[in-house]
């Protein structure tokens, strides 16, 4: 199994930096129903986000776009709008990421993503 | 109509910076069949890419992701892997953008995007 | 910037015809978070919907289909089921648009769209 | 019209086996707005699910995957997590179907599907 | 089985009107590998396209949009750009259907669809 | 890094069972451009396919569906139609997997998948 202690530990550390409280809560929710899924998530997250080729701000730009483009990922977008703020992206960089997608994705997916960002921004005051 | 001279002019200038020879050739291909479509593309491109909230490297990270996430956009990916190189992204930043998407999009879309990048890199030697 | 007065004015007029009260309210919601996004929406809407090649009924057939096909666009479908009624499409033409999509999109997306139409029809009496 | 008595009858019988109470309730909801759509659903369901090339367990594995892969089909997933249990798939086979999809669909769609399964499992005690 | 003679007959007649030579050739291609699939296609096509709530031109507007929106359906788009011309849609109505989709689907899917139309128009001289 | 020797070894063994010659060739193609991507693929493949909750035939049913549902994954479908035959699924079970998806995905995605299967079946004589 992939879930040896060291990989999990690194994943959790990375998750704490990027997601704050939200990351571990996803894994906790999975504990009762699909614990392996939670561990894969943590391990893959730790692996990918600690690679040196892109920094955390760039990674969150990419994540926000991948989630907005798929549609139907409002829950995950909420986590990653928070994560984007945690790693230092400004609010208008987050909004601009979605605005930039208008010509590529059309308005409906962009609007859905912006409304998620609006909610998160309001919750964080 | 949106296509006043000034908007078109700015779009073409922006297109030359970002896409090099590829940008105008898309518009040219459209000239015989859907000329307005070509003009909308140029105008919207000029408008979006000249906004100050993100720089051109960040914009290409976002564009590459939006195209990879949709699937079936290999032609547009080819144009934008070139564009990404034109605005100064390194080859391993482009590949890493796709690798970063594994947990969000799965392997098939990532592989399709990486194979397009491979082709472009080989053509540019 | 695209948002000169004349383009915005035409967009708002077109929006009032097609969307009634709903159109401006989307733009209003965006005002606090992404005002440019609201203006792009209005301008592009005004531009596209005033083109002579298709009439407004045909345009709403196309819009309803594009939204149903994407999935996850229930909010936008709600606006455009209303818009379709506003421009004169009959209720059974709207439902038939979705029924026609069964062989192309499958039942799940069709059912999701029909349930949105059902809600809108009930709200309008 | 396709809806002759015999085809409908077979569809309803098949629906009762696979979906229990849930199947007929979808058709009932459609009765007031799109009755033909409900009948097509029943007939096609009866036709497809009674073909001998795959058994009902295999068919539900396929259905769960098709719904998870599309995104935005949480309602239909709920019906078919129930259906999967009805035809004899174990809870951990259902969860594993989604876990298996991680490399093909990515985490967001897998998580959305697992959360639907979690809800259904809890409701059935 | 659904494939009784009368349903198949009606489907083939409808297919000849809408698709000309192309429709039967899809069914022929399927004959060696998945003959039932070909028959379902013909029967469902005959059923849906002969419903009175929308005329054939409206149906092709909807079909073109559903195919463009999905992405990756270039083969089917080719058949239906031909079908759209067969039932009397003008070339600029077909192109406009795709142009209308820009704000809903973004440029990449619209461009892919327009390039298919371009090919078909050139083949038909 | 995830790519320790043991995980890679298990992945390659699993890949040989399921994919025959095709699996390693994907990793080889990636070696020059994105070697880590190839290793992640092998490790995740080895991890997922060796889990006991579903057998290899069930896993390939799920994989075929996930790929057909996404669209634009013809290359990966080709690999997995082969894999499905390698682990013992019959040709008509593979075709039926796609036929079963008609009500969930619509004909275009089903046809695209069936045509890939047709090609693979012919190549294997």
């Amino acid at each position: 199994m992939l879930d040896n202690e060291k990989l999990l530990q690194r994943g959790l550390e990375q998750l704490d930096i990027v997601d704050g409280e939200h990351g571990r809560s996803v894994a906790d929710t999975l504990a009762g129903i699909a614990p392996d899924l939670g561990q894969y998530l943590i391990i893959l997250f730790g692996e990918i986000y600690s690679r040196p080729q892109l920094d955390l701000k760039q990674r969150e730009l990419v994540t926000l776009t991948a989630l907005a483009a798929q549609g139907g990922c409002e829950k995950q977008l909420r986590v990653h709008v928070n994560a984007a703020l945690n790693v230092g992206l400004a609010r208008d960089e987050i909004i601009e990421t979605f605005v930039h997608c208008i010509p590529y994705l059309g308005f409906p997916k962009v609007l859905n993503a912006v409304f998620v960002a609006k909610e998160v921004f309001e919750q964080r005051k």
Side-chain angles (χ1 to χ4, degrees), chain A residues 9-59:
Chain A
Q9 198 44 46
R10 186 186 54 176
L12 286 168
E13 283 162 18
Q14 200 68 45
L15 212 57
D16 288 342
I17 297 169
V18 176
D19 279 352
E21 77 238 72
H22 299 277
R24 288 191 187 228
S25 83
V26 173
D28 288 349
T29 318
L30 291 169
I33 181 116
D36 301 348
L37 178 56
Q39 298 203 340
Y40 289 148
L41 192 98
I42 292 166
I43 289 172
L44 203 52
F45 190 92
E47 172 66 23
I48 295 282
Y49 279 76
S50 61
R51 290 166 59 90
Q53 294 87 340
L54 293 174
D55 65 29
L56 291 178
K57 285 189 193 185
Q58 289 173 308
R59 290 189 183 277

Side-chain angles (χ1 to χ4, degrees), chain A residues 32-109:
Chain A
I33 181 116
D36 301 348
L37 178 56
Q39 298 203 340
Y40 289 148
L41 192 98
I42 292 166
I43 289 172
L44 203 52
F45 190 92
E47 172 66 23
I48 295 282
Y49 279 76
S50 61
R51 290 166 59 90
Q53 294 87 340
L54 293 174
D55 65 29
L56 291 178
K57 285 189 193 185
Q58 289 173 308
R59 290 189 183 277
E60 286 302 335
L61 284 185
V62 172
T63 304
L64 291 173
T65 309
L67 293 172
Q70 283 196 75
C73 298
E74 279 73 19
K75 261 186 225 169
Q76 290 81 17
L77 261 179
R78 201 161 294 127
V79 173
H80 280 282
V81 171
N82 273 297
L85 294 167
N86 293 344
V87 301
L89 283 170
R91 291 182 178 208
D92 71 342
E93 288 176 304
I94 293 169
I95 296 296
E96 189 67 15
T97 299
F98 301 137
V99 169
H100 181 83
C101 289
I102 297 172
Y104 301 106
L105 304 178
F107 282 97
K109 287 183 173 172

